[in-house]
Coordinates of all heavy atoms in Angstrom, one line a residue:
Y85 N -8.5 14.8 3.6 CA -8.0 15.9 4.3 C -8.2 15.6 5.8 O -9.3 15.3 6.2 CB -8.7 17.1 3.8 CG -8.5 18.4 4.7 CD1 -7.1 18.7 5.2 CD2 -9.6 19.3 5.0 CE1 -7.0 19.9 6.0 CE2 -9.3 20.5 5.8 CZ -8.0 20.7 6.3 OH -7.8 21.8 7.1
L86 N -7.2 15.6 6.6 CA -7.1 15.5 8.1 C -7.8 16.8 8.6 O -7.0 17.9 8.4 CB -5.8 15.2 8.5 CG -5.4 13.7 8.4 CD1 -6.4 12.6 8.8 CD2 -4.8 13.4 6.9
S87 N -8.8 16.8 9.3 CA -9.5 18.0 9.8 C -10.4 17.8 10.9 O -11.1 16.6 10.9 CB -10.4 18.7 8.6 OG -11.1 19.7 9.1
P88 N -10.4 18.6 12.0 CA -11.3 18.4 13.0 C -12.8 18.3 12.6 O -13.5 17.7 13.5 CB -11.2 19.6 13.9 CG -9.8 20.3 13.5 CD -9.7 19.8 12.0
D89 N -13.2 18.8 11.4 CA -14.6 18.7 11.0 C -14.9 17.5 10.3 O -16.0 17.3 9.6 CB -15.2 19.9 10.4 CG -14.5 20.2 9.1 OD1 -13.8 19.3 8.5 OD2 -14.7 21.3 8.4
L110 N -3.7 14.8 3.2 CA -3.4 16.2 3.1 C -3.4 16.7 4.6 O -4.5 16.7 5.3 CB -4.6 16.9 2.2 CG -4.5 18.4 2.2 CD1 -3.2 19.0 1.5 CD2 -5.8 18.8 1.3
C111 N -2.3 17.4 5.0 CA -2.3 18.0 6.2 C -2.3 19.4 6.2 O -1.6 20.0 5.5 CB -0.8 17.5 6.8 SG -0.4 15.8 6.8
G112 N -3.2 19.9 7.0 CA -3.4 21.3 7.1 C -2.4 21.9 8.2 O -1.9 21.2 9.0
R113 N -2.3 23.1 8.2 CA -1.5 23.9 9.1 C -2.1 25.2 9.4 O -3.1 25.6 8.6 CB 0.0 24.2 8.8 CG 0.8 22.9 9.1 CD 1.5 23.0 10.5 NE 1.8 21.6 11.0 CZ 2.3 21.5 12.3 NH1 2.6 22.4 13.0 NH2 2.6 20.2 12.6
Y114 N -1.7 26.1 10.3 CA -2.4 27.4 10.6 C -3.7 27.1 11.0 O -4.2 26.4 11.7 CB -1.9 28.4 9.4 CG -0.6 28.3 8.8 CD1 -0.4 27.9 7.5 CD2 0.5 28.5 9.7 CE1 0.8 27.8 7.0 CE2 1.7 28.4 9.1 CZ 1.9 28.1 7.8 OH 3.2 28.0 7.2
E115 N -4.6 28.2 10.4 CA -6.1 28.1 10.8 C -6.7 27.0 9.8 O -7.9 26.8 10.0 CB -6.7 29.4 10.5 CG -6.5 30.4 11.5 CD -6.9 29.9 12.9 OE1 -7.9 29.5 13.1 OE2 -6.0 30.2 13.8
G116 N -6.0 26.5 9.0 CA -6.5 25.4 8.1 C -6.4 25.8 6.6 O -5.5 26.6 6.2
I117 N -7.3 25.2 5.7 CA -7.0 25.4 4.3 C -8.2 26.1 3.7 O -9.4 26.1 4.3 CB -7.0 23.9 3.7 CG1 -5.6 23.2 4.0 CG2 -7.3 23.9 2.2 CD1 -5.5 21.8 3.7
L130 N -11.2 13.5 7.5 CA -11.1 12.6 8.6 C -10.6 13.3 9.8 O -9.8 14.1 9.6 CB -10.2 11.4 8.2 CG -10.7 10.1 7.7 CD1 -9.4 9.2 7.6 CD2 -11.8 9.5 8.5
S131 N -11.3 13.1 11.0 CA -10.8 13.6 12.2 C -10.2 12.5 13.1 O -10.7 11.5 13.0 CB -12.0 14.4 12.8 OG -11.7 14.6 14.2
V132 N -9.3 12.9 13.9 CA -8.9 11.9 14.9 C -9.4 12.1 16.2 O -9.1 11.4 17.2 CB -7.2 11.9 14.9 CG1 -6.6 11.4 13.7 CG2 -6.8 13.2 15.3
G133 N -10.4 13.0 16.4 CA -11.0 13.3 17.7 C -11.5 14.6 17.8 O -11.1 15.6 17.1
D134 N -12.3 14.9 18.9 CA -12.9 16.2 19.1 C -11.8 17.0 20.0 O -12.2 17.4 21.1 CB -14.1 16.0 19.8 CG -15.3 15.5 18.9 OD1 -15.1 15.6 17.6 OD2 -16.2 15.0 19.4
Y135 N -10.8 17.3 19.3 CA -9.9 18.3 19.9 C -8.9 18.7 18.7 O -8.9 18.2 17.7 CB -8.7 17.4 20.9 CG -8.3 16.3 20.4 CD1 -7.2 16.2 19.7 CD2 -9.0 15.1 20.6 CE1 -6.6 15.1 19.2 CE2 -8.5 13.8 20.1 CZ -7.3 13.9 19.4 OH -6.8 12.6 18.8
V136 N -8.3 19.9 19.0 CA -7.4 20.4 17.8 C -5.9 20.2 18.1 O -5.5 20.6 19.2 CB -7.8 21.9 17.7 CG1 -7.0 22.5 16.7 CG2 -9.2 22.0 17.3
V137 N -5.2 19.8 17.1 CA -3.7 19.8 17.1 C -3.3 20.7 16.2 O -4.1 21.2 15.4 CB -3.1 18.3 16.9 CG1 -3.5 17.4 18.1 CG2 -3.7 17.8 15.7
S138 N -1.9 21.0 16.2 CA -1.5 22.1 15.5 C -1.3 21.8 13.9 O -1.1 22.8 13.2 CB -0.1 22.6 16.0 OG 0.0 22.6 17.3
G139 N -1.5 20.6 13.6 CA -1.2 20.4 12.1 C -1.8 18.9 11.8 O -2.0 18.2 12.7
G140 N -1.9 18.7 10.6 CA -2.4 17.3 10.2 C -1.5 16.2 10.1 O -1.8 15.0 9.8
E141 N -0.2 16.6 10.5 CA 1.0 15.5 10.4 C 0.6 14.3 11.5 O 0.7 13.2 11.0 CB 2.2 16.1 10.7 CG 2.8 17.0 9.5 CD 2.1 18.4 9.4 OE1 1.5 18.7 10.5 OE2 2.2 19.0 8.3
P143 N -2.2 13.5 12.9 CA -3.4 12.7 12.4 C -3.1 11.9 11.2 O -3.5 10.7 11.3 CB -4.5 13.9 12.0 CG -4.1 15.0 13.0 CD -2.7 14.9 13.2
Ligands
LIG301 N1 -9.1 26.3 12.7 C1 -9.2 24.9 12.7 C2 -10.3 24.5 13.5 O1 -10.7 25.1 14.5 O2 -11.0 23.5 13.1 C3 -8.0 24.2 13.3 C4 -6.8 24.2 12.5 S1 -5.5 23.3 13.1 C5 -4.7 24.5 14.1 C6 -4.4 23.0 11.8 C7 -4.6 21.8 11.0 O3 -4.4 20.6 12.0 C8 -6.0 21.4 10.4 O4 -6.0 22.0 9.2 C9 -6.0 19.9 10.3 O5 -5.2 19.5 9.1 C10 -5.2 19.5 11.6 N2 -5.9 19.0 12.6 C11 -6.2 19.6 13.8 N3 -6.9 18.9 14.6 C12 -7.3 17.8 13.9 C13 -8.1 16.7 14.2 N4 -8.7 16.6 15.5 N5 -8.3 15.7 13.3 C14 -7.6 15.8 12.2 N6 -6.8 16.9 11.8 C15 -6.8 17.8 12.7

Side-chain angles (χ1 to χ4, degrees):
Y85 174 39
L86 285 310
S87 171
D89 67 8
L110 173 61
C111 304
R113 278 271 155 181
Y114 316 121
E115 283 307 310
I117 288 177
L130 269 185
S131 166
V132 293
D134 288 341
Y135 49 87
V136 174
V137 292
S138 313
E141 288 74 16

